[in-house]
């Protein structure tokens, strides 16, 4: 079934498929699993802890602790689910567990302190109790949300705090009387002091008022003189500025007049200089004209002769360049022809090599085919090649030429059989032919060193 916990509750699921304890707010619970719902809201525990100080003085420590599971720590929740959740939070078991932890830690801490230290250091004592108790509650997954430790109370028959309170009250009453007397004395003295101070301050204020009045009058006179002086200085400054401006204007007028006169003189001189420059240029042009005319008269003939010589030299140079270009062109054509011939020879050699490669490839294929046809029998392959290429005919022809003019040894074989009749026996002729083969094969072996094919037979050693 599907279980859902409330806002202040958790589901603790155990069983098959879960290693230890599974905590969840909602989950499926199967028949082979167990589910426990536990509340995590804090609970108030009220105690009156009896303890004893280092002087063996007993006292009662009333306290209210708000304790609950630590919900922000999964490990602490698992500890709480395992150890505390099976019991009711308000049951005697949980109450006694918390009370025992608090009493034990409080007694141990109080036994190491005097009553005076406990009473005066109540805040520190409470903090120490809180820390020690929290340390012990961690092993149960509990946390202290709040701890309210009330005022220490006497154990019946031991009125230490009562007497201490009476002592404090008496000391407070006596101190109050002393404080009242001191207050009265201070009041009377203060009254007299206030009256004297009032008179002193009044005289001081009158004197300071007169001094301030004189200072203000002097400052007024000084300010008036300062203003008049500044006005006079300003007037003098303005008159000086006007005089300076007039002087600058007169100087500028004189400079402008002088500049105008200088400009007029410079313009007159510039006109004269310009006329002289133009006259000089005219004389130069006349001289250049006469010079050019003389050059034209005396150099025209030389120029014609020079141009004629130059044209003849250029013609000879042109002819030589053309002859050289013709020779160079002929050499280039010869080189190109030689190169083309070499390329043709190289191409022919390359094609011949390609033909040899193709021939070798075809012969290799031919040999592989023949060997495959005779089942890789080398002897049969060799005999076929010798028969196909006419090797035996060439051998016979060569032998005939070699012994043509000699007296060769002629072997005659007879199978020893009977002479055949007129019709003869064909089987006897065939048998006679086979009887002639061994001596023939033997002769071929002696002359060529070749063994007969295996299908014919083998020669004995």
């Amino acid at each position: 079934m599907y279980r859902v916990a409330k806002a202040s509750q958790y589901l603790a699921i155990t069983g098959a498929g879960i290693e230890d304890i599974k905590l969840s707010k909602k989950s499926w619970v199967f028949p082979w699993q167990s589910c426990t719902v536990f509340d995590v809201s804090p609970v108030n525990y009220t105690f009156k802890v009896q303890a004893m100080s280092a002087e063996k003085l007993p006292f009662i420590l009333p306290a209210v602790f708000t304790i609950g599971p630590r919900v922000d720590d999964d490990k602490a929740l698992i500890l709480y689910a395992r150890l505390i959740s099976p019991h009711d939070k308000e049951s005697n078991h949980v109450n006694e567990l918390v009370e025992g932890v608090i009493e034990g830690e409080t007694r141990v801490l109080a036994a190491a302190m005097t009553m005076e230290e406990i009473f005066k250091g109540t805040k520190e004592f409470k903090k120490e109790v809180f820390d020690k108790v929290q340390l012990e509650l961690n092993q149960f997954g509990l946390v202290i949300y709040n701890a309210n430790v009330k005022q220490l109370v006497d154990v019946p028959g031991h009125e230490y705090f009562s007497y201490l309170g009476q002592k404090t009250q008496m000391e407070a009453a006596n101190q109050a009387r002393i404080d009242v007397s001191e207050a009265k004395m201070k009041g009377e003295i203060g009254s007299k002091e206030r009256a004297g101070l009032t008179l002193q301050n009044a005289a001081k204020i009158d004197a300071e008022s007169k001094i301030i009045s004189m200072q203000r009058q002097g400052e007024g006179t000084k300010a008036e003189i300062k203003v008049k002086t500044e006005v006079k200085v300003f007037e003098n400054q303005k008159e000086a500025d006007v005089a300076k401006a007039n002087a600058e204007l007169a100087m500028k007028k004189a400079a402008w007049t002088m500049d105008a006169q200088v400009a007029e003189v410079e313009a007159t001189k510039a006109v004269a200089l310009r006329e002289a420059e133009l006259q000089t240029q005219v004389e130069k042009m006349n001289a250049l004209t006469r010079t050019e005319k003389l050059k034209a008269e005396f150099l025209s003939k030389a120029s014609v002769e020079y141009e004629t010589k130059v044209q003849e030299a250029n013609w000879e140079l042109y002819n030589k360049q053309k002859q050289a270009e013709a020779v160079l062109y002929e050499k280039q054509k010869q080189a190109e022809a030689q190169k083309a011939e070499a390329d043709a020879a190289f191409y022919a050699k390359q094609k011949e090599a390609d033909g040899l490669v193709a021939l070798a490839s075809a012969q290799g294929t031919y040999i592989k085919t023949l060997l495959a046809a005779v089942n890789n029998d080398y002897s049969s392959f060799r005999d076929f090649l010798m028969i196909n290429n006419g090797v035996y005919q060439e051998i016979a022809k060569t032998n005939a030429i070699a012994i043509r003019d000699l007296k060769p040894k002629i072997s005659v074989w007879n199978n020893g059989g009977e002479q055949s009749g007129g019709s003869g026996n064909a089987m006897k002729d065939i048998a006679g032919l086979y009887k002639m083969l061994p001596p023939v094969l033997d002769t071929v072996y002696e002359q060529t060193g070749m063994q007969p094919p295996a299908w014919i037979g083998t020669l004995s050693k």
Side-chain angles (χ1 to χ4, degrees):
M1 62 185 305
Y2 192 73
R3 299 291 299 273
V4 179
K6 294 181 180 180
S8 62
Q9 294 178 342
Y10 271 89
L11 301 178
I13 305 172
T14 58
I18 300 173
E19 184 176 354
D20 186 12
I21 298 175
K22 176 184 176 182
L23 298 180
S24 179
K25 298 291 287 186
K26 54 187 176 180
S27 177
W28 285 99
V29 180
F30 298 99
W32 53 84
Q33 294 176 344
S34 175
C35 178
T36 302
V37 181
F38 63 93
D39 196 349
V40 295
S41 57
V43 178
N44 292 328
Y45 296 95
T46 304
F47 307 104
K48 290 184 178 181
V49 181
Q50 293 187 1
M52 187 175 291
S53 67
E55 301 95 344
K56 305 297 188 291
L57 294 175
F59 64 92
I60 297 175
L61 179 66
V64 177
F65 284 81
T66 303
I67 300 174
R70 188 185 295 274
V71 296
D72 57 350
D73 189 350
D74 294 339
K75 293 183 178 179
L77 273 178
I78 291 175
L79 285 174
Y80 180 81
R82 181 183 289 113
L83 302 175
I84 305 299
S85 64
H87 307 280
D88 187 3
K89 292 186 297 183
E90 299 180 358
S91 65
N92 291 333
H93 176 78
V94 178
N95 195 359
E96 290 174 358
L97 174 65
V98 176
E99 184 177 4
V101 171
I102 295 173
E103 286 183 353
E105 294 300 328
T106 303
R107 288 170 181 169
V108 171
L109 187 60
M113 300 174 66
T114 63
M115 186 62 75
E116 190 70 16
E117 291 174 348
I118 295 173
F119 187 74
K120 290 184 178 180
T122 305
K123 185 175 181 180
E124 289 75 12
F125 178 72
K126 291 178 181 179
K127 186 176 183 305
E128 289 290 334
V129 171
F130 182 88
D131 294 338
K132 296 292 184 182
V133 171
Q134 180 59 64
L135 187 62
E136 292 296 326
L137 293 178
N138 285 336
Q139 60 185 334
F140 300 102
L142 296 172
V143 63
I144 300 174
Y145 287 95
N146 184 35
N148 184 14
V149 180
K150 300 180 181 180
Q151 186 63 40
L152 302 177
V153 179
D154 288 323
V155 176
H158 299 80
E159 287 79 13
Y160 175 80
F161 293 113
S162 176
Y163 294 147
L164 188 62
Q166 293 177 9
K167 176 185 175 182
T168 304
Q169 290 176 2
M170 293 300 294
E171 290 177 351
N174 294 331
Q175 186 65 37
R177 293 190 186 96
I178 294 171
D179 292 340
V180 170
S181 299
E182 289 182 353
K184 289 181 179 180
M185 180 185 66
K186 290 179 179 179
E188 293 176 357
I189 295 172
S191 176
K192 297 294 183 181
E193 289 179 349
R194 292 292 179 185
L197 290 172
T198 301
L199 295 175
Q200 293 177 4
N201 290 332
K204 183 178 179 182
I205 290 170
D206 291 338
E208 290 178 351
S209 298
K210 292 180 180 179
I211 293 170
I212 292 171
S213 177
M214 295 298 293
Q215 289 178 348
R216 293 298 175 89
Q217 290 179 1
E219 290 176 356
T221 304
K222 187 189 296 184
E224 184 178 359
I225 295 170
K226 183 178 179 181
V227 170
K228 290 180 178 180
T229 303
E230 290 177 353
V231 169
K232 188 64 177 177
V233 169
F234 180 76
E235 291 177 352
N236 294 334
Q237 183 68 33
K238 290 299 181 181
E239 290 178 358
D241 291 341
V242 170
K244 183 179 179 181
N246 293 330
E248 289 178 353
L249 179 60
M251 291 175 65
K252 288 181 179 180
K253 286 181 177 180
W256 291 339
T257 303
M258 184 180 65
D259 292 339
Q261 293 176 356
V262 170
E264 184 177 358
V265 172
E266 287 179 352
T268 304
K269 296 295 183 181
V271 171
L273 289 173
R274 183 60 180 166
E275 289 178 353
E277 289 177 357
L278 292 174
Q279 187 63 35
T280 302
Q281 290 179 0
V282 169
E283 295 295 334
K284 286 182 179 181
M285 292 300 295
N286 292 330
L288 288 173
T289 302
R290 290 193 295 271
T291 303
E292 291 297 329
K293 184 177 181 180
L294 291 174
K295 283 182 180 180
E297 290 176 356
F298 291 104
L299 296 179
S300 59
K301 185 177 181 180
S303 298
V304 171
E305 292 179 355
Y306 172 75
E307 292 294 335
T308 303
K309 297 294 185 182
V310 169
Q311 291 295 330
E312 291 177 354
N314 290 336
W315 175 252
E316 292 179 0
L317 178 61
Y318 177 76
N319 290 333
K320 290 180 180 180
Q321 287 180 349
K322 290 300 180 181
Q323 292 175 1
E325 289 177 358
V327 174
L328 178 61
Y329 181 75
E330 185 178 359
K331 295 294 185 183
Q332 288 179 350
K333 289 301 181 181
Q334 290 178 358
E336 290 177 358
Q338 291 176 358
K339 182 179 179 182
E341 185 178 357
D343 292 340
F346 175 75
Y347 181 76
K349 293 293 184 181
Q350 187 175 8
K351 290 300 181 180
E352 183 179 358
D354 293 341
L356 292 175
V357 171
L359 178 61
S361 177
Q363 289 178 350
T365 304
Y366 176 66
I367 292 171
K368 289 180 181 179
T369 304
L370 291 178
L371 284 173
V374 297
N375 296 324
N376 293 325
D377 187 354
Y378 178 76
S379 298
S380 300
F381 171 69
R382 180 195 60 196
D383 293 341
F384 173 78
L385 289 179
M386 292 182 69
I387 293 170
N388 189 50
N389 295 328
V391 175
Y392 290 115
Q393 291 87 340
E394 292 295 330
I395 292 173
K397 184 178 180 181
T398 303
N399 289 335
I401 294 171
I403 64 172
R404 183 172 52 187
D405 298 328
L406 299 176
K407 295 180 179 180
K409 178 183 177 182
I410 298 173
S411 300
V412 179
W413 300 278
N414 191 353
N415 54 10
E418 297 179 354
Q419 295 291 331
S420 59
S423 60
N425 192 343
M427 293 305 294
K428 287 183 179 182
D429 293 337
I430 294 173
L433 178 60
Y434 273 94
K435 288 180 180 181
M436 292 170 60
L437 283 176
V440 174
L441 295 175
D442 191 22
T443 301
V444 172
Y445 177 72
E446 289 177 356
Q447 294 181 2
T448 64
M450 293 179 59
Q451 291 282 354
W455 54 273
I456 294 177
T458 57
L459 298 176
S460 62
K461 294 182 181 179

